[in-house]
Amino acid sequence: VILKKCIEFDIPEEDDARIGLVLISRKDPEEVLDYYSNIMSQLDWDARRLPEISEEKQKTFYRFNSRSGVEVVLRRFPSTHISHRPLRYHKDVFFWNIATSRGARGINSEARFEMCFGTMKASEEVKVMF
């Protein structure tokens, strides 16, 4: 079974974007969702990672740092591949300078992008926060 969910977005000409995301299980308690919501809302533009999570807090997270079987693919339409990364539970992934990375920006044009999350195995439901 191949499962895939995509999000399309535009980056206006003369602009750029950064995306930070983290994968959590639907089995994680609501407090985990609140924890990441608070941390991610406080990030500034220069953030390259989420703050370190204490070992004690990690124990309350479902499958912390385990392989998820989920991957993220970032590309520019129609077919420019920018990045492809496997995701682990509770491990952040950041993409910086999306419009200018790997020649993704066309000349004098607004850029349209797609970020897709997919898996080859349907082991459990997940949430992606960004």
Side-chain angles (χ1 to χ4, degrees):
V1 174
I2 298 175
L3 301 173
K4 185 176 177 181
K5 179 74 174 175
C6 296
I7 300 165
E8 295 179 11
F9 58 97
D10 296 322
I11 300 175
E13 187 176 350
E14 306 297 327
D15 205 351
D16 213 331
R18 173 202 67 162
I19 297 173
L21 57 94
V22 65
L23 181 87
I24 63 174
S25 171
R26 291 216 181 253
K27 294 179 182 178
D28 274 305
E30 192 67 28
E31 294 79 34
V32 173
L33 185 67
D34 293 341
Y35 172 80
Y36 284 119
S37 292
N38 285 334
I39 285 180
M40 294 178 95
S41 68
Q42 296 174 25
L43 291 177
D44 64 22
W45 177 257
D46 295 325
R48 299 271 181 193
R49 298 191 50 89
L50 295 179
E52 289 296 319
I53 300 169
S54 70
E55 286 186 31
E56 186 173 321
K57 187 122 186 112
Q58 290 174 19
K59 292 175 186 175
T60 67
F61 293 174
Y62 180 77
R63 298 185 65 192
F64 185 85
N65 198 27
S66 297
R67 292 181 183 164
S68 67
V70 178
E71 62 188 20
V72 60
V73 176
L74 182 64
R75 70 183 188 101
R76 178 177 186 218
F77 287 113
S79 63
T80 303
H81 180 270
I82 297 172
S83 185
H84 171 243
R85 296 188 196 173
L87 300 178
R88 297 176 80 88
Y89 287 103
H90 304 284
K91 285 303 201 180
D92 57 346
V93 171
F94 278 79
F95 299 104
W96 305 274
N97 304 321
I98 294 170
T100 55
S101 61
R102 296 192 187 186
R105 172 68 74 192
I107 298 172
N108 297 323
S109 66
E110 183 173 273
R112 183 172 227 12
F113 294 85
E114 178 180 65
M115 183 169 55
C116 294
F117 302 92
T119 181
M120 292 295 289
K121 53 185 175 182
S123 58
E124 65 181 80
E125 291 186 21
V126 297
K127 293 180 183 181
V128 179
M129 298 186 63
F130 54 97

